[in-house]
Amino acid sequence: MMFQRSRSRWLKEGDSNSHFFHACMKGRRSRNLISVLQVDGGWIEKPEEIRNWNVEFFKSHFKAMEWPRPNLDGLMFSVVSEEQNTGLVVPFTMEEIQSVIMECDGNKSP
């Protein structure tokens, strides 16, 4: 109930450059700001140093690592028959689409 109430308030007052809008943006900015970061027992306070440390951390975290890939030789996979393949590529019917949309949660986009 509170979630729906907050949505209606945002729709009514949110994007109108109001005090409510600016308060929401100020709160979001303060929640997302990293003003101090503890690294290796020490503290980093300068924004440039925080930015550089984050960039280096994620570069090392997401760099490609070489590791032995599993070999799939000797594994038997099931094969799809022509009949099954035809059933997989048949276009969706309007009834199927409508039933999927009707089963969706009301708070989600179809």
Side-chain angles (χ1 to χ4, degrees):
M1 184 74 154
M2 295 299 290
F3 179 69
Q4 290 294 338
R5 207 177 280 161
S6 70
R7 273 187 160 178
S8 66
R9 182 165 183 205
W10 179 261
L11 289 173
K12 189 170 90 181
E13 302 177 29
D15 287 335
S16 63
N17 203 14
S18 64
H19 175 73
F20 175 70
F21 172 76
H22 287 284
C24 287
M25 294 301 109
K26 190 175 181 181
R28 180 178 290 172
R29 186 179 334 128
S30 68
R31 279 191 310 271
N32 290 337
L33 177 69
I34 300 174
S35 58
V36 177
L37 190 63
Q38 185 177 10
V39 179
D40 301 327
W43 292 92
I44 300 176
E45 295 181 15
K46 295 180 182 174
E48 185 65 31
E49 291 176 1
I50 292 173
R51 186 178 308 118
N52 291 338
W53 191 88
N54 282 325
V55 167
E56 291 306 316
F57 172 80
F58 284 105
K59 274 185 183 176
S60 68
H61 186 72
F62 290 111
K63 71 180 178 184
M65 295 173 46
E66 291 294 325
W67 55 281
R69 303 237 176 216
N71 191 350
L72 299 178
D73 292 339
L75 291 177
M76 300 301 294
F77 293 101
S78 58
V79 180
V80 178
S81 69
E82 276 302 316
E83 234 176 74
Q84 292 169 326
N85 189 33
T86 336
L88 289 172
V89 295
V90 171
F92 298 115
T93 64
M94 286 304 285
E95 291 80 25
E96 289 174 324
I97 295 171
Q98 189 173 14
S99 71
V100 168
I101 290 176
M102 293 307 204
E103 291 172 8
C104 281
D105 183 13
N107 292 329
K108 306 267 193 265
S109 175

